[in-house]
């Protein structure tokens, strides 16, 4: 199956699995997805992920995180899409929920959170926002 937006697909799978209160969700593996999952894990939005092989294809098994029966991720939204890319300089990196949430950026120094991008003084493509 041809997929135009693999990152958007992963975010939708996470959103749908959390609405159904699933403990984990599977998504096809890729380098960009792994880097975004690294940021989500370091920011405390998911428990972790592991790479497994199913039918000869590599997949990530993402362990979702809940607190008092409610998902830790309240909102996860794709910002930069294949039809409309959104770039931001270091001065204009968007704040999510007054700093309570996080924007994930793809920068020349790698995929990182908005706070880390400000600390390293680098801008880039705003991939998604999580709250």
């Amino acid at each position: 199956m041809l997929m135009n937006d693999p990152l958007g697909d992963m975010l939708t799978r996470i959103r749908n699995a959390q609405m159904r209160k699933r403990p984990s969700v599977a998504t096809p593996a890729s380098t960009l997805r792994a880097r975004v999952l690294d940021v989500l894990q370091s920011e405390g939005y998911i428990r972790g992920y592991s790479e497994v092989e199913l039918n000869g294809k590599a997949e990530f098994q993402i362990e979702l995180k809940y607190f008092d029966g409610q998902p830790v991720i309240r909102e996860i939204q794709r910002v930069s899409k294949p039809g409309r890319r959104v770039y931001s300089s270091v001065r204009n990196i968007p704040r999510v929920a007054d700093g309570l949430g996080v924007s994930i950026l793809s920068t020349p120094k790698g995929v990182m959170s908005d706070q880390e991008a400000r600390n390293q003084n680098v801008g880039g493509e705003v991939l998604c926002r999580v709250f």
Side-chain angles (χ1 to χ4, degrees):
M1 172 166 69
L2 181 66
M3 194 179 318
N4 289 333
D5 189 13
L7 184 60
D9 175 66
M10 180 183 77
L11 299 178
T12 300
R13 287 177 189 228
I14 291 172
R15 189 180 316 113
N16 291 342
Q18 284 196 323
M19 283 193 302
R20 301 297 304 153
K21 304 243 191 280
R22 301 274 190 239
S24 65
V25 62
T27 184
S30 74
T31 307
L32 177 63
R33 290 179 184 193
R35 299 302 151 250
V36 170
L37 288 172
D38 287 337
V39 173
L40 287 174
Q41 185 176 3
S42 68
E43 294 291 327
Y45 288 106
I46 61 172
R47 288 194 189 282
Y49 70 97
S50 59
E51 189 169 347
V52 295
E53 188 154 332
L54 289 169
N55 301 328
K57 304 269 185 185
E59 289 197 345
F60 290 133
Q61 194 68 28
I62 306 167
E63 296 176 46
L64 303 175
K65 196 172 183 180
Y66 297 91
F67 180 75
D68 287 340
Q70 296 299 317
V72 171
I73 299 174
R74 292 184 188 174
E75 178 185 320
I76 186 165
Q77 183 180 14
R78 185 81 156 105
V79 175
S80 184
K81 300 174 182 172
R84 183 175 184 270
R85 300 291 182 186
V86 177
Y87 297 95
S88 178
S89 67
V90 69
R91 289 182 209 89
N92 300 326
I93 294 175
R95 295 185 86 79
V96 180
D98 260 350
L100 295 176
V102 66
S103 291
I104 300 177
L105 285 84
S106 176
T107 69
K109 295 183 179 179
V111 177
M112 59 184 69
S113 68
D114 55 353
Q115 189 59 46
E116 191 176 346
R118 282 186 197 95
N119 291 343
Q120 294 193 17
N121 198 30
V122 65
E125 182 180 358
V126 182
L127 297 176
C128 61
R129 43 184 251 138
V130 185
F131 173 66

